[in-house]
C-alpha cells in the first residue's frame, strides 16, 4: 500500500470510553502499523516496537503527544504519536504519519493532547505486555527515523 497523495481534512471525533478511559477518540488509520512502546519527557527510551499491531481503518485513541522521534514515511513527516490499545492486545503509540487526517509536523486534528506527565515514565497508564525487540529504522519501513 502506498502513502496517500494528501492527507484528508477531516480528523478524529470523540467516541466515548474504552479500556477504562472515560473519553477516547475515533480516528482513521490509512495503513496497518505497529504501535511503538516508548516513554520519556526529554530523551526517549524505546522499549520495543514490533509486537503490537493496529490494523488499517477506524480505531480509538486516548490522546496524542509529541515525542523526540521524527519519522518520515514517503512525503509524510511527523513527530506526533497517539496512544491506543493495538488489535492484538499491546498498548503503544501510533505515529501521526499513519493517520488519514493532518499535515506534516502537525498534531492529528480532533484528537486531544495528553495531559502533562502522560507517557513520561514506564509506569504511564495502560497495561501492556513487555515488548522484546527494537527495530530501527522501524517496523513499518519508514524511510527515515530520527531519535532525539
Amino acid at each position: 500500500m502506498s502513502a496517500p497523495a494528501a492527507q484528508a481534512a477531516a480528523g478524529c471525533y470523540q467516541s466515548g470510553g474504552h479500556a477504562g478511559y472515560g473519553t477516547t477518540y475515533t480516528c482513521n488509520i490509512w495503513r496497518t502499523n505497529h504501535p511503538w512502546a516508548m516513554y520519556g519527557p526529554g530523551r526517549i527510551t524505546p522499549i520495543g516496537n514490533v509486537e503490537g499491531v493496529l490494523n488499517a481503518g477506524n480505531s480509538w485513541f486516548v490522546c496524542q503527544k509529541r515525542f523526540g522521534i521524527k519519522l518520515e514515511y514517503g512525503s509524510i513527516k511527523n513527530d506526533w504519536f497517539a496512544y491506543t490499545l493495538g488489535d492484538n492486545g499491546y498498548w503503544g503509540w501510533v505515529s501521526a504519519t499513519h493517520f488519514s487526517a493532518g499535515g506534516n509536523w502537525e498534531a492529528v486534528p480532533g484528537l486531544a493532547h495528553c495531559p502533562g506527565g502522560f507517557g513520561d515514565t514506564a509506569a504511564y497508564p495502560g497495561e501492556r505486555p513487555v515488548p522484546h525487540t527494537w527495530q530501527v529504522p522501524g517496523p513499518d519501513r519508514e524511510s527515515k527515523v530520527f531519535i532525539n
Side-chain angles (χ1 to χ4, degrees):
M1 183 181 286
S2 60
Q7 290 175 297
C12 305
Y13 58 90
Q14 208 172 54
S15 57
H18 289 89
Y21 289 96
T23 302
T24 59
Y25 301 82
T26 296
C27 308
N28 186 269
I29 302 298
W30 67 271
R31 72 182 305 273
T32 296
N33 65 90
H34 296 82
W36 292 50
M38 59 189 170
Y39 65 93
R43 292 192 57 82
I44 298 304
T45 302
I47 304 170
N49 69 344
V50 296
E51 282 87 354
V53 174
L54 187 65
N55 294 310
N58 285 338
S59 292
W60 60 267
F61 295 85
V62 175
C63 59
Q64 67 180 321
K65 73 178 280 182
R66 201 175 233 161
F67 274 104
I69 295 179
K70 296 180 179 184
L71 297 179
E72 294 184 16
Y73 192 84
S75 63
I76 303 170
K77 303 167 185 173
N78 220 309
D79 56 357
W80 283 88
F81 289 80
Y83 192 64
T84 193
L85 180 61
D87 291 325
N88 65 344
Y90 285 83
W91 286 94
W93 297 90
V94 175
S95 170
T97 60
H98 298 303
F99 282 72
S100 298
N104 288 338
W105 309 119
E106 295 177 357
V108 177
L111 179 55
H113 291 215
C114 296
F118 189 99
D120 287 353
T121 70
Y124 59 89
E127 297 297 325
R128 62 187 174 352
V130 176
H132 300 290
T133 55
W134 173 249
Q135 187 177 42
V136 172
D140 298 315
R141 293 188 169 84
E142 296 88 351
S143 57
K144 292 181 184 176
V145 176
F146 301 97
I147 301 176
N148 296 312

